[in-house]
Amino acid sequence: MNSDSERPAVTELRLSAFKAHRGVILPLGPLTLLSGGSGSGKSSALQAYEILARLGSGQSLARAVRDVAGGPSACVPAGARPDDQGRRGFRIGCTVSGPVGPVSLDLAVQAEPELRIVGERLTGGGETLLTTALTDPDRPAVQAAWHTAGATPVTRAPLPDDRLGTSMLPLRVAGKTAGQRLVLAAAEQVVVALRSAFVCDPRPEVMRGTGGARAAGGAGLPGATGVTGATGIAGGAGGSAGRGSGVRGGRGKGAGKAREGHDEGRLRSSCDNLPAVLARTSQECARRHAVLVAAVREACVGPVDGLRAVPRQAGVTGAGAAGAGARECGVTGVAGSGAAGAGVTAPRMTASGATGAGAVAAVPAAGRGGTAGAQSGGGPGEAGVQVVLDRGALGEMPVEQLGDGELRFLALALVLLTGPGVLAMDPAGEIPSAHQQMTVMADGMDRCMDRRQARELVSLAVRMAERGHVRLLGTVRDPSVAEGLPGVQVLHLGA
Protein backbone atom coordinates (compact mmCIF):
# COMPACT_ATOMS: atom_id res chain seq x y z
CA MET A 1 0.00 0.00 0.00
CA ASN A 2 1.22 3.49 -0.83
CA SER A 3 1.26 5.12 2.60
CA ASP A 4 1.69 8.57 1.11
CA SER A 5 -1.79 8.63 -0.46
CA GLU A 6 -5.14 8.99 1.25
CA ARG A 7 -5.84 7.07 4.42
CA PRO A 8 -8.23 4.10 4.12
CA ALA A 9 -11.72 4.90 5.40
CA VAL A 10 -15.19 3.38 5.16
CA THR A 11 -17.10 5.83 2.96
CA GLU A 12 -20.30 3.85 2.41
CA LEU A 13 -22.31 1.41 4.51
CA ARG A 14 -24.78 -0.89 2.79
CA LEU A 15 -27.66 -2.51 4.65
CA SER A 16 -29.03 -4.68 1.89
CA ALA A 17 -31.09 -6.80 4.26
CA PHE A 18 -30.41 -6.16 7.94
CA LYS A 19 -33.00 -5.86 10.69
CA ALA A 20 -35.45 -3.13 9.66
CA HIS A 21 -33.28 -2.03 6.73
CA ARG A 22 -33.67 -3.21 3.15
CA GLY A 23 -31.66 -1.76 0.29
CA VAL A 24 -30.33 1.12 2.42
CA ILE A 25 -27.11 2.85 1.37
CA LEU A 26 -25.53 5.31 3.82
CA PRO A 27 -22.74 7.58 2.55
CA LEU A 28 -20.25 8.20 5.35
CA GLY A 29 -18.16 11.33 5.56
CA PRO A 30 -15.50 12.31 8.08
CA LEU A 31 -18.27 13.33 10.49
CA THR A 32 -21.63 11.62 10.03
CA LEU A 33 -24.57 11.77 12.40
CA LEU A 34 -27.63 9.55 12.08
CA SER A 35 -30.93 10.91 13.30
CA GLY A 36 -34.49 9.64 13.32
CA GLY A 37 -37.26 8.54 15.61
CA SER A 38 -37.22 5.52 17.85
CA GLY A 39 -37.17 2.36 15.75
CA SER A 40 -35.82 4.11 12.65
CA GLY A 41 -32.72 1.91 12.66
CA LYS A 42 -30.01 4.28 13.86
CA SER A 43 -28.48 1.81 16.29
CA SER A 44 -28.93 -1.03 13.81
CA ALA A 45 -26.79 0.82 11.26
CA LEU A 46 -23.95 1.15 13.77
CA GLN A 47 -24.40 -2.49 14.72
CA ALA A 48 -23.91 -3.56 11.09
CA TYR A 49 -20.73 -1.46 10.86
CA GLU A 50 -19.52 -3.00 14.11
CA ILE A 51 -20.06 -6.53 12.80
CA LEU A 52 -18.01 -5.70 9.71
CA ALA A 53 -15.31 -4.12 11.85
CA ARG A 54 -15.06 -7.15 14.12
CA LEU A 55 -14.84 -9.48 11.14
CA GLY A 56 -12.21 -7.25 9.56
CA SER A 57 -10.24 -7.52 12.78
CA GLY A 58 -10.14 -11.29 12.42
CA GLN A 59 -12.83 -12.19 14.93
CA SER A 60 -15.01 -15.18 14.25
CA LEU A 61 -18.54 -14.58 13.04
CA ALA A 62 -19.95 -15.86 16.34
CA ARG A 63 -17.89 -13.28 18.28
CA ALA A 64 -18.77 -10.55 15.82
CA VAL A 65 -22.51 -10.91 16.41
CA ARG A 66 -22.59 -12.12 19.98
CA ASP A 67 -23.49 -8.73 21.45
CA VAL A 68 -26.56 -8.34 19.24
CA ALA A 69 -29.63 -8.48 21.47
CA GLY A 70 -31.62 -11.51 20.41
CA GLY A 71 -28.63 -13.17 18.77
CA PRO A 72 -27.89 -13.59 15.06
CA SER A 73 -31.55 -14.26 14.26
CA ALA A 74 -32.36 -10.70 15.34
CA CYS A 75 -30.26 -9.44 12.40
CA VAL A 76 -32.58 -11.13 9.90
CA PRO A 77 -35.06 -8.68 8.34
CA ALA A 78 -38.55 -8.94 9.76
CA GLY A 79 -40.79 -11.03 7.56
CA ALA A 80 -37.93 -12.81 5.82
CA ARG A 81 -39.09 -16.30 4.96
CA PRO A 82 -36.80 -19.34 5.14
CA ASP A 83 -35.88 -21.22 1.98
CA ASP A 84 -36.59 -24.91 1.38
CA GLN A 85 -33.74 -25.87 3.75
CA GLY A 86 -35.06 -23.57 6.49
CA ARG A 87 -32.26 -21.04 6.03
CA ARG A 88 -32.58 -17.33 6.78
CA GLY A 89 -29.93 -14.65 6.96
CA PHE A 90 -28.88 -11.05 6.41
CA ARG A 91 -26.71 -9.08 3.97
CA ILE A 92 -24.45 -6.13 4.73
CA GLY A 93 -21.52 -4.45 3.04
CA CYS A 94 -19.33 -1.38 2.79
CA THR A 95 -17.08 0.59 0.47
CA VAL A 96 -13.59 1.57 1.60
CA SER A 97 -11.81 4.43 -0.14
CA GLY A 98 -8.04 4.66 -0.08
CA PRO A 99 -4.87 4.36 -2.17
CA VAL A 100 -6.37 1.59 -4.34
CA GLY A 101 -9.49 3.62 -5.00
CA PRO A 102 -12.94 2.52 -3.87
CA VAL A 103 -13.07 -1.14 -2.83
CA SER A 104 -16.42 -2.77 -2.11
CA LEU A 105 -17.05 -5.63 0.30
CA ASP A 106 -20.40 -7.43 0.48
CA LEU A 107 -21.38 -10.29 2.77
CA ALA A 108 -24.24 -12.77 2.88
CA VAL A 109 -24.60 -14.32 6.33
CA GLN A 110 -26.76 -17.30 7.18
CA ALA A 111 -28.22 -16.87 10.67
CA GLU A 112 -30.47 -19.94 10.75
CA PRO A 113 -30.35 -22.86 11.24
CA GLU A 114 -26.63 -22.39 11.84
CA LEU A 115 -24.45 -19.28 11.74
CA ARG A 116 -22.03 -19.04 8.82
CA ILE A 117 -20.84 -16.75 6.05
CA VAL A 118 -22.31 -18.17 2.85
CA GLY A 119 -21.12 -15.55 0.39
CA GLU A 120 -18.51 -12.80 0.14
CA ARG A 121 -17.60 -10.51 -2.71
CA LEU A 122 -14.67 -8.09 -2.92
CA THR A 123 -14.43 -5.76 -5.91
CA GLY A 124 -12.05 -2.96 -6.82
CA GLY A 125 -10.05 -1.55 -9.71
CA GLY A 126 -12.73 -2.75 -12.11
CA GLU A 127 -12.16 -6.37 -11.10
CA THR A 128 -13.88 -8.96 -8.99
CA LEU A 129 -11.08 -9.68 -6.56
CA LEU A 130 -12.67 -12.34 -4.37
CA THR A 131 -15.85 -14.38 -4.34
CA THR A 132 -16.87 -17.12 -1.94
CA ALA A 133 -19.85 -19.44 -2.05
CA LEU A 134 -21.21 -22.26 0.06
CA THR A 135 -21.04 -25.36 -2.10
CA ASP A 136 -21.32 -28.10 0.51
CA PRO A 137 -23.61 -27.33 3.49
CA ASP A 138 -22.13 -30.28 5.38
CA ARG A 139 -18.63 -28.76 5.45
CA PRO A 140 -17.62 -25.75 7.59
CA ALA A 141 -16.05 -24.06 4.59
CA VAL A 142 -16.83 -21.99 1.54
CA GLN A 143 -15.25 -22.25 -1.89
CA ALA A 144 -13.20 -19.11 -2.59
CA ALA A 145 -11.88 -17.78 -5.88
CA TRP A 146 -9.55 -14.80 -6.05
CA HIS A 147 -8.18 -12.77 -8.92
CA THR A 148 -4.77 -13.83 -10.24
CA ALA A 149 -4.48 -12.43 -13.79
CA GLY A 150 -1.62 -14.79 -14.53
CA ALA A 151 -1.45 -18.06 -16.38
CA THR A 152 -4.52 -19.01 -14.36
CA PRO A 153 -7.17 -16.25 -14.21
CA VAL A 154 -8.31 -17.17 -10.70
CA THR A 155 -7.07 -19.26 -7.80
CA ARG A 156 -9.54 -21.48 -5.96
CA ALA A 157 -9.29 -22.81 -2.43
CA PRO A 158 -11.57 -23.48 0.55
CA LEU A 159 -11.79 -20.92 3.34
CA PRO A 160 -13.45 -21.20 6.78
CA ASP A 161 -17.11 -20.19 6.78
CA ASP A 162 -16.84 -18.37 10.10
CA ARG A 163 -14.20 -15.81 9.10
CA LEU A 164 -13.98 -12.90 6.70
CA GLY A 165 -12.16 -14.20 3.64
CA THR A 166 -10.81 -10.74 2.81
CA SER A 167 -8.86 -10.65 6.09
CA MET A 168 -7.20 -13.97 5.25
CA LEU A 169 -6.09 -13.10 1.72
CA PRO A 170 -2.66 -11.69 2.73
CA LEU A 171 -1.89 -15.11 4.19
CA ARG A 172 -2.98 -16.92 1.02
CA VAL A 173 -2.00 -14.72 -1.91
CA ALA A 174 1.61 -14.82 -3.10
CA GLY A 175 1.69 -11.39 -4.75
CA LYS A 176 3.67 -12.54 -7.77
CA THR A 177 1.37 -11.19 -10.49
CA ALA A 178 -0.13 -7.75 -10.97
CA GLY A 179 -3.55 -9.24 -10.29
CA GLN A 180 -2.39 -10.78 -7.02
CA ARG A 181 -0.79 -7.52 -5.94
CA LEU A 182 -4.08 -5.72 -6.60
CA VAL A 183 -5.90 -8.28 -4.45
CA LEU A 184 -3.41 -7.81 -1.62
CA ALA A 185 -3.56 -4.02 -1.75
CA ALA A 186 -7.36 -3.98 -1.83
CA ALA A 187 -7.66 -6.50 1.02
CA GLU A 188 -5.18 -4.55 3.15
CA GLN A 189 -7.05 -1.32 2.49
CA VAL A 190 -10.34 -2.85 3.67
CA VAL A 191 -8.82 -4.52 6.74
CA VAL A 192 -6.93 -1.38 7.83
CA ALA A 193 -10.11 0.71 7.61
CA LEU A 194 -12.27 -1.81 9.46
CA ARG A 195 -9.69 -2.39 12.18
CA SER A 196 -9.50 1.33 12.85
CA ALA A 197 -12.97 1.50 14.41
CA PHE A 198 -13.52 2.12 18.12
CA VAL A 199 -16.95 1.75 19.71
CA CYS A 200 -17.34 4.21 22.57
CA ASP A 201 -20.25 4.00 24.95
CA PRO A 202 -19.32 5.75 28.21
CA ARG A 203 -21.43 4.31 31.01
CA PRO A 204 -21.67 6.66 33.97
CA GLU A 205 -22.83 3.92 36.34
CA VAL A 206 -19.74 1.85 35.52
CA MET A 207 -17.45 4.87 35.63
CA ARG A 208 -18.72 5.56 39.13
CA GLY A 209 -18.49 1.93 40.16
CA THR A 210 -22.22 1.60 40.80
CA GLY A 211 -22.93 -0.76 37.94
CA GLY A 212 -21.57 -3.93 39.55
CA ALA A 213 -18.16 -5.43 38.92
CA ARG A 214 -15.92 -3.54 36.56
CA ALA A 215 -16.22 -4.97 33.10
CA ALA A 216 -12.90 -5.97 31.63
CA GLY A 217 -14.47 -5.79 28.22
CA GLY A 218 -15.69 -2.24 28.50
CA ALA A 219 -19.35 -1.86 27.63
CA GLY A 220 -20.09 -5.54 27.57
CA LEU A 221 -17.89 -6.01 24.53
CA PRO A 222 -15.41 -8.84 24.22
CA GLY A 223 -11.76 -8.28 24.77
CA ALA A 224 -12.02 -4.80 26.25
CA THR A 225 -11.69 -3.40 22.78
CA GLY A 226 -15.02 -2.04 21.71
CA VAL A 227 -14.63 -3.33 18.20
CA THR A 228 -11.12 -4.04 17.14
CA GLY A 229 -8.32 -5.55 19.07
CA ALA A 230 -9.40 -9.16 19.14
CA THR A 231 -8.13 -9.82 15.61
CA GLY A 232 -9.11 -13.46 15.95
CA ILE A 233 -5.98 -14.03 17.97
CA ALA A 234 -6.06 -13.89 21.72
CA GLY A 235 -9.77 -13.64 22.36
CA GLY A 236 -10.42 -17.33 21.85
CA ALA A 237 -8.22 -18.48 19.05
CA GLY A 238 -5.12 -19.30 21.01
CA GLY A 239 -3.37 -15.94 21.14
CA SER A 240 -1.33 -16.32 17.98
CA ALA A 241 -0.84 -12.99 16.24
CA GLY A 242 -1.57 -12.82 12.56
CA ARG A 243 -3.62 -16.02 12.36
CA GLY A 244 -7.06 -15.25 11.07
CA SER A 245 -6.23 -11.69 10.09
CA GLY A 246 -4.48 -10.57 6.97
CA VAL A 247 -2.87 -7.63 8.67
CA ARG A 248 -0.93 -8.87 11.63
CA GLY A 249 -2.01 -8.23 15.19
CA GLY A 250 0.38 -5.88 16.89
CA ARG A 251 0.75 -7.53 20.26
CA GLY A 252 0.60 -11.27 19.68
CA LYS A 253 0.30 -13.59 22.63
CA GLY A 254 0.30 -10.88 25.23
CA ALA A 255 -2.77 -9.23 23.77
CA GLY A 256 -5.25 -11.33 25.69
CA LYS A 257 -4.05 -10.18 29.10
CA ALA A 258 -4.07 -6.56 28.03
CA ARG A 259 -7.66 -6.94 26.95
CA GLU A 260 -8.65 -8.41 30.27
CA GLY A 261 -8.00 -5.15 32.07
CA HIS A 262 -4.27 -5.29 32.78
CA ASP A 263 -3.47 -2.49 30.33
CA GLU A 264 -4.93 0.33 32.39
CA GLY A 265 -3.35 3.01 30.21
CA ARG A 266 -5.67 2.24 27.29
CA LEU A 267 -9.24 3.47 27.45
CA ARG A 268 -11.93 0.81 27.27
CA SER A 269 -15.27 1.24 25.55
CA SER A 270 -17.24 1.86 28.72
CA CYS A 271 -14.54 4.30 29.92
CA ASP A 272 -14.53 2.63 33.33
CA ASN A 273 -10.75 3.12 33.53
CA LEU A 274 -10.87 6.82 32.65
CA PRO A 275 -8.67 8.00 35.58
CA ALA A 276 -5.72 5.80 34.63
CA VAL A 277 -5.90 7.00 31.05
CA LEU A 278 -6.17 10.65 32.07
CA ALA A 279 -3.19 10.21 34.35
CA ARG A 280 -1.23 9.05 31.34
CA THR A 281 -2.49 11.49 28.69
CA SER A 282 -2.13 14.57 30.91
CA GLN A 283 1.58 13.81 31.20
CA GLU A 284 2.13 12.86 27.56
CA CYS A 285 0.72 15.99 25.93
CA ALA A 286 0.05 19.17 27.90
CA ARG A 287 -1.47 20.92 24.88
CA ARG A 288 -3.99 18.15 24.25
CA HIS A 289 -4.89 18.11 27.93
CA ALA A 290 -5.42 21.86 27.88
CA VAL A 291 -7.85 21.45 24.97
CA LEU A 292 -9.71 18.78 26.96
CA VAL A 293 -9.96 21.07 30.01
CA ALA A 294 -11.26 23.90 27.83
CA ALA A 295 -13.91 21.63 26.33
CA VAL A 296 -14.99 20.36 29.75
CA ARG A 297 -15.20 23.96 30.96
CA GLU A 298 -17.72 24.71 28.22
CA ALA A 299 -19.80 21.62 29.02
CA CYS A 300 -19.92 21.75 32.82
CA VAL A 301 -21.92 23.95 35.13
CA GLY A 302 -19.71 26.06 37.36
CA PRO A 303 -16.03 26.98 37.07
CA VAL A 304 -13.45 24.49 35.78
CA ASP A 305 -9.86 25.59 36.26
CA GLY A 306 -8.25 22.19 35.77
CA LEU A 307 -8.68 18.46 35.48
CA ARG A 308 -6.18 16.07 36.96
CA ALA A 309 -5.63 12.57 38.22
CA VAL A 310 -4.56 12.26 41.83
CA PRO A 311 -3.72 9.27 44.04
CA ARG A 312 -6.81 7.84 45.63
CA GLN A 313 -6.48 7.79 49.37
CA ALA A 314 -6.41 4.29 50.82
CA GLY A 315 -9.64 3.44 52.55
CA VAL A 316 -11.72 5.88 50.51
CA THR A 317 -14.26 4.42 48.14
CA GLY A 318 -15.39 5.83 44.88
CA ALA A 319 -18.89 6.81 44.02
CA GLY A 320 -20.80 4.17 45.87
CA ALA A 321 -24.10 5.96 45.81
CA ALA A 322 -26.05 5.37 42.63
CA GLY A 323 -25.60 8.28 40.27
CA ALA A 324 -23.57 10.33 42.68
CA GLY A 325 -20.35 9.21 44.26
CA ALA A 326 -21.44 11.17 47.31
CA ARG A 327 -19.75 8.72 49.69
CA GLU A 328 -16.45 9.95 48.31
CA CYS A 329 -16.66 12.93 50.63
CA GLY A 330 -18.74 11.29 53.32
CA VAL A 331 -21.84 13.12 52.14
CA THR A 332 -25.13 11.28 51.88
CA GLY A 333 -28.21 12.09 49.89
CA VAL A 334 -26.38 14.08 47.21
CA ALA A 335 -26.94 12.84 43.67
CA GLY A 336 -24.18 13.15 41.09
CA SER A 337 -26.40 14.95 38.65
CA GLY A 338 -27.23 17.38 41.40
CA ALA A 339 -23.65 17.82 42.53
CA ALA A 340 -22.53 19.28 39.27
CA GLY A 341 -25.56 19.53 37.05
CA ALA A 342 -27.44 21.73 39.48
CA GLY A 343 -24.43 23.67 40.65
CA VAL A 344 -24.08 21.93 44.04
CA THR A 345 -20.37 21.58 44.65
CA ALA A 346 -18.83 18.85 46.73
CA PRO A 347 -16.55 19.80 49.63
CA ARG A 348 -12.86 20.14 48.86
CA MET A 349 -10.80 17.03 49.47
CA THR A 350 -7.74 17.43 51.62
CA ALA A 351 -4.57 15.39 51.36
CA SER A 352 -5.59 13.36 54.37
CA GLY A 353 -8.67 12.08 52.61
CA ALA A 354 -11.06 14.11 54.76
CA THR A 355 -13.16 16.88 53.33
CA GLY A 356 -12.17 20.50 53.47
CA ALA A 357 -14.34 23.26 54.84
CA GLY A 358 -17.08 20.98 56.06
CA ALA A 359 -14.59 18.71 57.85
CA VAL A 360 -16.78 15.70 57.10
CA ALA A 361 -14.86 12.47 57.54
CA ALA A 362 -14.46 10.20 54.55
CA VAL A 363 -16.29 6.90 54.64
CA PRO A 364 -13.97 3.88 54.92
CA ALA A 365 -13.88 1.45 52.04
CA ALA A 366 -16.29 -1.46 52.21
CA GLY A 367 -13.96 -4.40 51.95
CA ARG A 368 -10.40 -4.57 50.88
CA GLY A 369 -9.77 -2.13 48.06
CA GLY A 370 -13.42 -1.11 47.91
CA THR A 371 -15.45 -0.60 44.77
CA ALA A 372 -14.09 2.63 43.45
CA GLY A 373 -16.09 4.65 41.00
CA ALA A 374 -14.16 6.16 38.12
CA GLN A 375 -10.99 4.76 39.58
CA SER A 376 -8.23 2.54 38.45
CA GLY A 377 -5.62 0.54 40.16
CA GLY A 378 -4.03 -2.83 40.32
CA GLY A 379 -5.09 -5.57 42.69
CA PRO A 380 -7.15 -5.41 45.86
CA GLY A 381 -5.95 -2.98 48.48
CA GLU A 382 -4.23 -0.62 46.06
CA ALA A 383 -5.40 2.96 46.22
CA GLY A 384 -5.27 3.65 42.46
CA VAL A 385 -6.10 7.08 41.10
CA GLN A 386 -9.13 9.29 40.80
CA VAL A 387 -9.90 12.30 38.64
CA VAL A 388 -10.82 15.62 40.21
CA LEU A 389 -12.05 18.90 38.77
CA ASP A 390 -10.38 22.02 40.04
CA ARG A 391 -13.28 24.39 40.73
CA GLY A 392 -11.06 27.27 41.74
CA ALA A 393 -12.37 28.95 44.88
CA LEU A 394 -14.98 26.19 45.20
CA GLY A 395 -12.34 23.53 45.69
CA GLU A 396 -11.77 20.18 44.04
CA MET A 397 -14.56 17.80 43.13
CA PRO A 398 -14.26 14.15 42.13
CA VAL A 399 -15.64 13.65 38.63
CA GLU A 400 -17.85 10.87 39.95
CA GLN A 401 -20.08 13.67 41.24
CA LEU A 402 -20.63 15.11 37.77
CA GLY A 403 -23.96 14.54 36.10
CA ASP A 404 -24.37 11.71 33.63
CA GLY A 405 -24.21 14.06 30.66
CA GLU A 406 -21.05 15.73 31.94
CA LEU A 407 -19.36 12.37 32.54
CA ARG A 408 -20.24 11.16 29.08
CA PHE A 409 -19.01 14.42 27.58
CA LEU A 410 -15.67 14.11 29.38
CA ALA A 411 -15.14 10.55 28.19
CA LEU A 412 -16.16 11.18 24.56
CA ALA A 413 -14.07 14.34 24.40
CA LEU A 414 -11.03 12.40 25.59
CA VAL A 415 -11.61 9.76 22.91
CA LEU A 416 -11.83 12.38 20.16
CA LEU A 417 -8.62 14.02 21.35
CA THR A 418 -6.58 10.84 21.53
CA GLY A 419 -5.86 8.00 19.12
CA PRO A 420 -5.35 4.24 18.78
CA GLY A 421 -2.35 4.29 21.10
CA VAL A 422 -4.54 5.48 23.97
CA LEU A 423 -7.63 3.39 23.21
CA ALA A 424 -8.13 -0.31 23.81
CA MET A 425 -8.04 -1.21 20.14
CA ASP A 426 -5.59 -2.97 17.88
CA PRO A 427 -5.08 -1.13 14.58
CA ALA A 428 -2.77 -2.37 11.86
CA GLY A 429 0.71 -2.35 13.33
CA GLU A 430 2.50 -2.25 9.98
CA ILE A 431 0.93 1.04 8.89
CA PRO A 432 2.23 4.18 10.64
CA SER A 433 -0.48 5.82 12.74
CA ALA A 434 0.03 9.03 10.76
CA HIS A 435 -1.35 7.18 7.72
CA GLN A 436 -4.41 5.74 9.45
CA GLN A 437 -7.80 7.19 10.34
CA MET A 438 -9.57 6.15 13.49
CA THR A 439 -13.36 5.96 13.29
CA VAL A 440 -15.14 6.60 16.57
CA MET A 441 -18.57 4.98 16.72
CA ALA A 442 -20.89 6.52 19.31
CA ASP A 443 -24.44 5.27 19.53
CA GLY A 444 -26.58 7.75 21.43
CA MET A 445 -23.78 10.28 21.33
CA ASP A 446 -25.91 13.00 22.92
CA ARG A 447 -27.50 10.68 25.48
CA CYS A 448 -27.96 12.40 28.87
CA MET A 449 -26.59 15.66 27.46
CA ASP A 450 -28.40 18.95 27.07
CA ARG A 451 -28.27 20.74 23.75
CA ARG A 452 -25.35 22.96 24.77
CA GLN A 453 -23.20 19.99 25.77
CA ALA A 454 -24.08 18.02 22.63
CA ARG A 455 -23.25 20.94 20.36
CA GLU A 456 -19.92 21.52 22.11
CA LEU A 457 -19.07 17.85 21.62
CA VAL A 458 -19.94 17.98 17.91
CA SER A 459 -17.89 21.18 17.57
CA LEU A 460 -14.90 19.39 19.11
CA ALA A 461 -15.42 16.50 16.68
CA VAL A 462 -15.40 18.97 13.78
CA ARG A 463 -12.06 20.41 14.88
CA MET A 464 -10.50 16.96 15.26
CA ALA A 465 -11.92 15.63 11.98
CA GLU A 466 -10.35 18.56 10.13
CA ARG A 467 -6.94 17.15 11.03
CA GLY A 468 -7.71 14.00 9.07
CA HIS A 469 -6.89 11.43 11.72
CA VAL A 470 -10.31 10.99 13.35
CA ARG A 471 -13.69 10.18 11.82
CA LEU A 472 -16.98 10.00 13.70
CA LEU A 473 -20.14 8.01 13.11
CA GLY A 474 -22.73 8.72 15.77
CA THR A 475 -26.44 8.73 16.42
CA VAL A 476 -28.26 11.72 17.93
CA ARG A 477 -31.77 12.45 19.11
CA ASP A 478 -31.61 16.12 18.14
CA PRO A 479 -29.98 16.78 14.77
CA SER A 480 -30.17 20.53 15.34
CA VAL A 481 -27.03 20.31 17.48
CA ALA A 482 -25.08 20.16 14.21
CA GLU A 483 -26.78 23.11 12.51
CA GLY A 484 -24.30 25.57 11.04
CA LEU A 485 -21.26 23.46 11.85
CA PRO A 486 -19.00 22.86 8.84
CA GLY A 487 -18.32 19.36 7.56
CA VAL A 488 -21.10 17.63 9.50
CA GLN A 489 -23.30 15.27 7.48
CA VAL A 490 -26.67 14.44 9.07
CA LEU A 491 -28.58 11.47 7.63
CA HIS A 492 -32.24 11.22 8.61
CA LEU A 493 -33.42 7.63 8.83
CA GLY A 494 -37.01 6.49 8.65
CA ALA A 495 -38.08 9.64 6.78
Side-chain angles (χ1 to χ4, degrees):
M1 178 181 292
N2 180 5
S3 300
D4 294 329
S5 40
E6 67 177 299
R7 305 176 183 97
V10 176
T11 52
E12 184 178 274
L13 179 65
R14 290 184 292 279
L15 310 173
S16 303
F18 185 79
K19 291 196 169 184
H21 298 288
R22 286 184 179 271
V24 173
I25 299 176
L26 301 176
L28 304 181
L31 210 168
T32 303
L33 300 178
L34 307 181
S35 72
S38 177
S40 61
K42 304 185 298 295
S43 298
S44 297
L46 264 67
Q47 217 160 40
Y49 191 128
E50 184 178 348
I51 291 172
L52 289 170
R54 289 177 181 269
L55 290 170
S57 297
Q59 291 187 17
S60 68
L61 179 60
R63 283 178 59 85
V65 302
R66 77 177 187 180
D67 291 315
V68 176
S73 296
C75 299
V76 180
R81 295 188 175 185
D83 62 11
D84 295 339
Q85 285 75 43
R87 298 176 297 188
R88 298 198 313 155
F90 59 91
R91 289 181 289 122
I92 56 179
C94 66
T95 296
V96 175
S97 298
V100 181
V103 178
S104 295
L105 170 69
D106 291 282
L107 291 180
V109 177
Q110 175 186 302
E112 301 170 355
E114 59 182 317
L115 184 64
R116 64 202 313 182
I117 297 175
V118 295
E120 179 178 347
R121 184 181 180 89
L122 184 72
T123 58
E127 301 285 350
T128 298
L129 305 176
L130 169 71
T131 58
T132 70
L134 181 66
T135 57
D136 185 355
D138 294 328
R139 296 183 58 198
V142 291
Q143 185 65 28
W146 57 81
H147 182 61
T148 304
T152 304
V154 297
T155 301
R156 302 181 188 277
L159 292 177
D161 65 358
D162 68 337
R163 304 276 172 171
L164 185 70
T166 297
S167 68
M168 292 185 282
L169 287 177
L171 302 177
R172 300 295 188 106
V173 180
K176 294 181 179 180
T177 69
Q180 289 176 337
R181 289 190 289 273
L182 175 60
V183 170
L184 288 172
E188 182 178 286
Q189 177 170 299
V190 170
V191 170
V192 167
L194 292 178
R195 282 179 61 169
S196 299
F198 180 74
V199 171
C200 187
D201 183 20
R203 297 168 55 190
E205 74 281 5
V206 176
M207 296 168 70
R208 296 187 181 108
T210 61
R214 292 174 53 200
L221 299 176
T225 62
V227 163
T228 57
T231 62
I233 39 182
S240 174
R243 188 176 300 277
S245 173
V247 182
R248 296 187 305 274
R251 291 177 304 217
K253 295 182 180 180
K257 290 185 178 180
R259 296 183 191 104
E260 292 171 3
H262 298 282
D263 190 357
E264 287 292 340
R266 290 161 61 88
L267 190 66
R268 295 189 284 263
S269 293
S270 65
C271 302
D272 61 311
N273 61 336
L274 179 74
V277 177
L278 266 174
R280 168 190 169 188
T281 57
S282 61
Q283 296 175 0
E284 289 180 345
C285 183
R287 184 172 64 178
R288 177 177 59 191
H289 188 72
V291 174
L292 176 63
V293 172
V296 172
R297 182 180 300 120
E298 294 297 322
C300 288
V301 175
V304 176
D305 291 348
L307 178 70
R308 59 197 182 94
V310 299
R312 181 177 293 277
Q313 298 300 316
V316 180
T317 66
R327 290 188 305 182
E328 181 75 35
C329 298
V331 181
T332 59
V334 181
S337 57
V344 180
T345 305
R348 184 181 182 93
M349 292 292 295
T350 66
S352 64
T355 55
V360 182
V363 176
R368 191 181 181 194
T371 301
Q375 82 162 39
S376 115
E382 293 184 336
V385 295
Q386 70 175 150
V387 177
V388 296
L389 282 180
D390 183 352
R391 295 285 198 176
L394 299 179
E396 292 178 350
M397 186 184 79
V399 297
E400 295 100 313
Q401 296 181 9
L402 291 173
D404 285 0
E406 293 168 316
L407 264 181
R408 284 181 56 82
F409 180 95
L410 169 60
L412 286 165
L414 178 62
V415 169
L416 291 171
L417 286 166
T418 57
V422 178
L423 306 175
M425 58 187 295
D426 197 9
E430 304 87 319
I431 310 299
S433 59
H435 300 297
Q436 299 185 49
Q437 282 184 308
M438 177 182 70
T439 297
V440 177
M441 299 168 59
D443 190 15
M445 190 176 85
D446 58 348
R447 189 186 313 135
C448 304
M449 298 183 195
D450 59 32
R451 188 179 185 280
R452 174 181 58 87
Q453 292 167 335
R455 185 170 178 83
E456 179 63 28
L457 185 62
V458 177
S459 298
L460 177 63
V462 169
R463 298 198 298 272
M464 300 312 299
E466 287 175 348
R467 300 186 179 187
H469 295 288
V470 175
R471 296 171 68 90
L472 173 67
L473 174 60
T475 69
V476 293
R477 296 167 301 170
D478 180 11
S480 69
V481 299
E483 286 181 359
L485 296 178
V488 183
Q489 174 182 236
V490 179
L491 303 180
H492 301 276
L493 304 186

